[in-house]
Amino acid sequence: MLFSEPTISGLEALQRSGLALELSGALVCRIGGTGCPSADCFCGCPAPFDPCFYWSYFNWNGHAWDFAAVGAGERQLHDGDVDGWRWSQGQPPDASAFTQLAVQRALAWLHTQQQADGSFPGFGVGATADAVIALAAANEKAADWRVGQGPSALAYLATQAGTFASSAAATGKLILAVAAADANPTDFGGLNLLTRLATFADAGGRFGASNWDQAYAILALRASQAPIPHDAAGHLLAAQTTAGGWGFMPGDTADVDSTALVMQALVAAGEPLASPAMTQAVAFLHTQQNQDGGFPYQSPFPTSVSSTALALQGLLAVSDNPLAAGWTISNTTPFQALLAQQSAAGGFVGFSGPNDLFSTVSALPALVGKPLPLRGRQVALDHALTWLHSQQQADGSFGAPGQSADAVFAAVSGGQDPATWTQGGPSLLAYLASQAMTYTLSSTAAAGKLTLAALASRPDRAPNDFGGVNVGARVLDAFDPGSGQIGSSLFDHGFGLLAMSAQYAPGRWLSRAWLRQQQLANGGWELGSGWGADTNTTAVALQALLAAGEPADAASVQHGLTFLRQQQNPDGGFPYQKPCGYPACDATDVNSTAYVVQALVAAGHDPDGWAWSQHITATNQITLTLHTPLDALLARQSQDGGFAGFSGANDLYATVQAVPAVALRAQPLASRATWYYPGIRR
């Protein structure tokens, strides 16, 4: 932050940051949507004050965070001082906060470089493709990056796709950018980029002439979840030099950039991390590291930002920790060597000077610890829906009415019509209609879920005659007008309130109040009395409250989000419950993470943003990589398209739950004023 005064207060610095703030006098209640409303600044500290979350204020002493001795309004900041804020129980910000600061500075500088047509200057269209990859790594949306009202960076790439995709390397890079930016590589700029990539391949799985052609092609196929030719990796393995690395062309002297790129490609193709080829590649990188901790293009040249960044990505791809002592030279890790190359303006040093576009877009993925390829939501959705559809049974179902209703949510979230989902017999909707009578009588949660599915699949129709049953009325029948409770359990109430809200039923206000009363002191909700709060029930409760009109800044919502934040694992995902009483229940699972993502979306939070990012902190693990809830979900998708769960790598229940979350869709998926409609009641 730049300021012209000799000093400014810590509070003034926070106010000039551009973040949305809510204050109560000099107390900081909410920053960037996280925290409490100013009218209830300590909503995160309900009696008996355990837990007690608030915005705590820290100062950096050059080595660690110190709890501020004076308030932000009293502290005077000089040039070079660093303050930190954290929504916590008094814990200081992670040391990784400096990574975030470096990333934000780089992004701010990168914004100044974008051109009116959406592109980034430098070395042609490839500069914009690299920039889009960098933006995706930093959890930015390339489709939103534009100058004024002009085209976005992604839109610019679409206009250039036909001419740029003129080699395997260029096409592969473009596919990596498109997939990472949550677009569809099979339909981009009027092209199927995978079809274009295939034109550069021979019958033996060789793409183009260079190692870069081959590496980018393999990475692109993995990013697209497309099959990789059986011999594709073999061509790269055969080109490894006796020094252990790779050059640009087979037979060239090995260099750091080519070696690191090929390492990422081989891992993407399934090469074991500890194979002889990977071991030799890591050994080669050791021979290239400079005394300042960084890497040159090729020894004995000076350290290069782009080479250091690629080396970091290559090491991360093979799970070799670049922060470990073995990579520390002169008390400097490669990561620290990279950070040292950032200028005051935010860019990184390169051929064009202290702020070089190529260096900056190269540095960003390494700063957040992400090797290629980056996973994208659209590719994940398309493949999940394809796999899911293949699991449909001849009677139109997905094994049971509940999972079949979840399949409706998945299809609708992915932009497909569940009425067209069939295996040659009844459609998915026809099956559910045939089960409406018995399923809605099984529980209020079932009636609520089927009401939501009926509305999601046909938002233009009232659910007063679905399979001859007024499914919406079944929910209203379970509503107690005295207390506001719906059904007998929290899931009954949650799905019932969601269904009532989707129908704009008048009793939802009373039911909202009842649900608030069930919130536990730690901010969560429990499925049954004495079971303890869990993420799934809490996520359903939050969606229900918000759907029924609870403000996102209400203390109940903020307290619930605080509970979820406590439950988040270092890999970015969520367990069912922690602490818990049975093995592995505190490990990240797809269903729990998906439920929480939907709750975050309902509350207006970005599940792929900084506020919900985590860094692993265990000393025996790589602490560099940034993890978000969406990262955790996408990392658990198999190449077949399904998501991991109890039954294995492709679990039906996990997949139907994951798809709406990946699509960033919260319940209810559709709403319609239907409560007053007459209908068939059976």
Side-chain angles (χ1 to χ4, degrees), residues 68 78 455 580:
H78 300 78
L455 282 167
C580 56

Side-chain angles (χ1 to χ4, degrees), residues 139-179:
N139 301 333
E140 292 286 313
K141 311 297 187 286
D144 297 334
W145 271 56
R146 53 173 49 85
V147 176
Q149 300 301 310
S152 70
L154 195 61
Y156 168 79
L157 282 183
T159 66
Q160 305 297 312
T163 53
F164 180 64
S166 58
S167 69
T171 307
K173 179 181 285 191
L174 185 57
I175 290 171
L176 286 171
V178 171

